Amino acid sequence: MKSLKSKYQMAAQFCKILPKIELHAHLNGSLSVPTIAKLVRLHKQSYPQEEVPSATEIFNDPKGFDDGYAIFKCAQALVDHPEAVKLAARSVLREFAEDNVKYVELRSTPRDCPGKMTKREYLLAIIEAIEDQSDIKAALLVSIDRRKSVEEADENVELALSLKKEFPTVVVGIDLSGDARVNQLQDYIGALQKAQDQDLKVSLHFAEVKNDKEIEFVLNHCSFKPDRVGHCTFIHHSTAAVGMSESIWKKFCDWNIPSEICLTSNVKCRSVESYQSHHLPMWYKEKLPFAICTDDKGVFNCSSSEEYAQAMQLLELNQEEMLLLSKKSIEYIFADDNVKETLRSEF
Ligand code: IMP
Ligand code: ZN
């Protein structure tokens, strides 16, 4: 009998060479230790009068949502001018490529840093990094932070729409993210619907915390339907614990919208107790569409291959089944059919 550890190591070896798709990666949550070090140096050179976050703040191992959000804040303080944004995006793309990821959708919240860059310049820097490299196919989702106002959400959608006109193959969608314990998703539906009406795809962080009102609102909405949903932790009646009815789960299954599954993120944020108790097997059992994603590979100290290996072990899949699972994710990307076709032939 192989030990669990050696089984995981074998899965990890295989998943490293497996061609992969990454659909849920926040730029400033995906910065590796070497990238952070480069960003610190760049910041000290460019703005020597400003303080940079300390190593203990930025390399903290998160033990819940609050720790995670504190780390994002530190990373964002370093990525506050176009040169830093470009450095961050280039490094993240290269690292995914080195991990054998063939297509990545990066998402990021445009930030206006007075005297340093506008939101448009922020996004242009990421677009430039995407266009400049040939190691990996990549696209961008513009994020809306639900901690910010609805007006800001509208502003981000307008910006995404105007950049989509200039860079139609790069700017492909909108993401709604930010602390799920703050404000209500319902208020952002107008902005999201506007984006969709003008051909931007929409991914929602959904049921990341227990919030039945929000979940039911989205599932029962008569006109708005997201194109993908992230996390979906508190949607099944067994994970949602008290109060979640079976009919909600049934509705979610009928919806059949692809989920972005982020195992390590959920374990480290403590929204699930362990990998073994993760909700992913229910998706597999019900044949629901999903993609394995990292969420924030820097903050959660993980990689695409490790996430795929965790899934391989949890679902008890063999190599053939794993390749099939990875290949299926191509169908859920937001890029057009040409990109899908090229990827299908590469896998
Ligand atoms: P950025 O948008 O590139 O600056 O990446 C960091 C931001 O992504 C955070 O400030 C959050 O708004 C968002 N984010 C990252 N991970 C999560 C998550 O697990 N849930 C919700 N929002 C997240
Ligand atoms: Zn996320």
Side-chain angles (χ1 to χ4, degrees):
M1 272 282 279
K2 286 198 179 70
S3 73
L4 222 73
K5 200 169 164 200
S6 77
K7 254 182 155 176
Y8 173 77
Q9 277 158 356
M10 277 169 65
Q13 261 173 17
F14 171 71
C15 291
K16 179 85 196 165
I17 53 165
L18 179 73
K20 294 172 287 291
I21 299 286
E22 170 60 73
L23 299 182
H24 187 138
H26 299 268
L27 175 63
N28 289 306
S30 301
L31 309 175
S32 63
V33 173
T35 304
I36 296 273
K38 283 185 201 157
L39 285 166
V40 168
R41 273 201 301 276
L42 175 64
H43 208 276
K44 282 183 175 165
Q45 276 164 18
S46 311
Y47 303 100
Q49 71 287 5
E50 287 184 21
E51 293 233 346
V52 293
S54 72
T56 42
E57 280 176 300
I58 200 152
F59 298 128
N60 186 15
D61 186 24
K63 293 180 180 62
F65 285 115
D66 290 332
D67 288 354
Y69 285 105
I71 303 170
F72 296 138
K73 218 170 151 190
C74 296
Q76 286 159 347
L78 295 170
V79 184
D80 63 351
H81 59 292
E83 207 185 329
V85 181
K86 242 175 275 170
L87 192 162
R90 279 197 190 121
S91 307
V92 170
L93 291 170
R94 196 185 47 249
E95 287 159 359
F96 276 124
E98 284 166 0
D99 197 23
N100 232 353
V101 173
K102 300 296 178 195
Y103 171 87
V104 57
E105 281 172 16
L106 276 187
R107 52 184 78 191
S108 198
T109 326
R111 259 173 312 113
D112 181 5
C113 301
K116 293 179 176 170
M117 70 179 167
T118 61
K119 281 187 173 186
R120 185 180 155 83
E121 286 166 340
Y122 179 90
L123 293 175
L124 281 172
I126 304 177
I127 293 169
E128 201 180 314
I130 289 176
E131 289 205 315
D132 275 358
Q133 55 78 47
S134 54
D135 297 347
I136 184 169
K137 289 178 193 58
L140 173 65
L141 311 192
V142 176
S143 297
I144 290 173
D145 184 345
R146 61 182 282 166
R147 288 166 293 186
K148 302 278 169 64
S149 67
V150 173
E151 289 71 34
E152 236 192 89
D154 287 332
E155 190 193 342
N156 291 8
V157 168
E158 287 301 334
L159 198 49
L161 287 169
S162 88
L163 286 169
K164 181 184 157 54
K165 284 200 187 109
E166 292 172 61
F167 306 96
T169 57
V170 180
V171 182
V172 295
I174 292 283
D175 148 63
L176 180 83
S177 50
D179 196 332
R181 301 164 299 180
V182 178
N183 291 334
Q184 36 174 24
L185 191 157
Q186 292 88 312
D187 296 338
Y188 299 89
I189 297 286
L192 299 170
Q193 191 134 38
K194 183 173 181 191
Q196 253 184 353
D197 289 346
Q198 298 185 54
D199 286 338
L200 278 170
K201 302 279 187 188
V202 169
S203 171
L204 290 185
H205 279 64
F206 185 58
E208 194 179 0
V209 298
K210 183 167 162 52
N211 185 337
D212 298 356
K213 217 168 132 193
E214 217 171 82
I215 293 166
E216 293 192 42
F217 179 85
V218 178
L219 283 171
N220 292 325
H221 204 282
C222 55
S223 55
F224 174 74
K225 203 174 163 191
D227 298 285
R228 287 200 314 253
V229 278
H231 297 294
C232 307
T233 318
F234 293 91
I235 192 93
H236 188 271
H237 44 96
S238 68
T239 47
V242 210
M244 177 60 77
S245 73
E246 187 129 5
S247 70
I248 289 291
W249 172 245
K250 171 132 196 341
K251 219 169 234 174
F252 179 76
C253 294
D254 292 343
W255 232 28
N256 210 36
I257 291 176
S259 303
E260 301 153 357
I261 299 287
C262 311
L263 293 153
T264 301
S265 163
N266 297 155
V267 172
K268 293 224 171 170
C269 286
R270 304 202 166 159
S271 50
V272 303
E273 263 175 39
S274 63
Y275 291 103
Q276 290 72 30
S277 62
H278 196 276
H279 44 288
L280 173 60
M282 296 177 218
W283 267 238
Y284 198 72
K285 186 167 158 254
E286 292 291 334
K287 298 191 170 47
L288 292 175
F290 67 89
I292 300 296
C293 308
T294 50
D295 204 6
D296 298 287
K297 73 175 182 60
V299 172
F300 302 125
N301 190 21
C302 61
S303 66
S304 288
S305 11
E306 286 162 352
E307 293 307 286
Y308 273 68
Q310 291 289 0
M312 187 173 181
Q313 199 171 17
L314 186 61
L315 300 175
E316 299 180 4
L317 301 185
N318 63 32
Q319 297 187 352
E320 219 172 296
E321 290 164 326
M322 217 42 214
L323 177 61
L324 210 65
L325 186 154
S326 185
K327 202 171 173 183
K328 253 194 187 164
S329 310
I330 299 172
E331 308 313 316
Y332 317 139
I333 71 172
F334 286 168
D336 62 25
D337 287 345
N338 292 334
V339 181
K340 283 186 187 166
E341 201 42 56
T342 316
L343 287 167
R344 283 186 203 113
S345 65
E346 274 179 35
F347 272 56

